[in-house]
Amino acid sequence: MPRTPNTQLTLLLEAAGWSPAPFTAALRDVAAEQGLTLNVHLTTVRRWLEGAQPRPPLPALILECLSRRLGRCLTAHEAGLTRAPAQLVDPAWEADPLRKLLHLTHAELDPHRRALLGAGVLTATALALPPHGEGPAASGGQKYPGRRTVADDVGQLQAMAQVFATSADQHGGRHVRAGLAAYLAHEVIPLLHRPPPTRVHQGLRSATARLALLLGSMCADSGHHAPARHYHQIAARLAADADDPTILAIALRTIATHAHGLGDHTPAVLNLAERADQYARHAPPAVRAYTHIQLAVLNAHHNRHAAMAALARAERLHAQADAEPGPFSSYPAGALHFQRAQVLATLREPTNALTALTTSLRLRTETERLPAALTRARLAETHLRLGHLEPALAHWAAFLDAYPTLHSARAGQRVTAAVQYLRPHQRRADVADLLERITQVVGPLR
């Protein structure tokens, strides 16, 4: 079949002032930021211009290159990189958040579309925000028949957020992700399209932002980072639309945390954490501690003094916080010390990081099974780096006790890391026994 030339991509390259050679170089640079090595040459780019469709993750990388160069967020349709009749999700901030949420949650419930959602690459342009103080456009879309929404509906959504958050903390996000997506698609979105009083409408949007944040974190915990990014961005838009700076601060902090977890420590991510902290300036102390500790984590990659100052400030704020329960009103002490350990590890203070992780594990509650297990894994890794093999084995053994009840890609990553740490010591009988147990619990790992 003869190919149809991709005139859209050709025009975008012309607008960017790029011939195939500099475009290829820029593409390789963006791939390197993601830890990818591309086998892309001038002939490859020419084939794309002639109409060949690049395979994932190349479309996302191409869009990232061109978006950076042109200073705006491009879609796959604009660049001629998809033959689908309509884009699954519009990544632009300006897109209607409820429409995006509806498409995403329905895709979550369709195994084929859910696989497509998980195929993306997290890119820096997705972190772009509108100018400070610029409000989002009002959402339109489908109207649902039924009674008017009332204040009790907001309370119900907040109660369900607690249920889903507790379940994810106990067993990981993967096993409750579809349930939360179905709840959003079939219960929450219809509420938002019924005529409510203005104040109730704002409360509904704010409560929906909380649920979208939870779903995004469940996707990240499942290893599906592209949909996680979309849900987090939707939450930020809904919080801004609801005039809720506290939830907006939490959403921006979550986006920065997600990017950091994927290895992005750039000034752009630090700037996002700073924006989160600005929005949290009038929030309760627990939320301010939550945003400030992320400033410490990110500053540790850039400025030691700033990192330690932010860490001290976060700890003072946490000491002032009330013990109000709830996933968006409290910040567990175990989480604070876990991130303290992250700061200290980045600053190359492994002994102090070990102390912080030990404190974090001690402070974990019974409902924090997944965080406690991940803390144990980090403790084992830190002990081994310091040459403490026996305590490392003890923590890994306890981690494996919890592992079968966890449905989490993060837990799986820590198992893979354990094998890598232990293989140099596999001639020891106790290490060989633990490696054999890992094989029995998880299956063979490379």
Side-chain angles (χ1 to χ4, degrees), residues 206 210 213 239-240 243-253 276 278-284 286-288 290-291 328-329:
S206 181
R210 291 170 167 84
L213 270 178
D243 194 22
D244 189 337
T246 297
I247 297 303
L248 178 55
I250 294 172
L252 298 182
R253 194 272 202 190
Q278 291 167 9
Y279 279 111
R281 63 188 180 275
H282 300 303
V287 176
R288 292 164 63 199
Y290 178 73
T291 58
F328 298 96
S329 56

Side-chain angles (χ1 to χ4, degrees), residues 81-168:
L81 297 177
T82 178
R83 295 190 178 97
Q87 188 185 18
L88 186 62
V89 176
D90 182 353
W93 171 273
E94 293 80 7
D96 181 342
L98 291 184
R99 180 174 58 83
K100 285 175 65 176
L101 187 60
L102 184 65
H103 288 177
L104 275 166
T105 50
H106 279 281
E108 289 281 347
L109 305 176
D110 180 328
H112 175 67
R113 295 177 71 201
R114 184 174 181 174
L116 292 176
L117 280 176
V121 171
L122 188 69
T123 55
T125 52
L127 303 181
L129 294 172
H132 185 68
E134 180 179 311
S139 297
Q142 181 178 0
K143 299 297 181 184
Y144 291 77
R147 61 170 178 79
R148 289 170 62 86
T149 52
V150 294
D152 284 350
D153 292 317
V154 177
Q156 182 185 23
L157 267 60
Q158 292 172 341
M160 290 301 292
Q162 176 72 66
V163 170
F164 283 112
T166 300
S167 184

Side-chain angles (χ1 to χ4, degrees), residues 253-301:
R253 194 272 202 190
T254 303
I255 296 170
T257 302
H258 184 212
H260 174 267
L262 294 175
D264 189 347
H265 316 136
T266 60
V269 179
L270 176 58
N271 178 64
L272 198 66
E274 290 169 344
R275 291 282 298 276
D277 197 55
Q278 291 167 9
Y279 279 111
R281 63 188 180 275
H282 300 303
V287 176
R288 292 164 63 199
Y290 178 73
T291 58
H292 226 71
I293 193 70
Q294 189 61 29
L295 281 179
V297 170
L298 288 164
N299 267 310
H301 295 276

Side-chain angles (χ1 to χ4, degrees), residues 185-214:
H186 301 305
E187 300 293 335
V188 177
I189 293 174
L191 279 177
L192 283 159
H193 284 90
R194 290 173 183 159
T198 301
R199 181 170 294 183
V200 171
H201 189 69
Q202 287 184 318
L204 285 172
R205 282 184 175 267
S206 181
T208 304
R210 291 170 167 84
L211 292 166
L213 270 178
L214 289 174

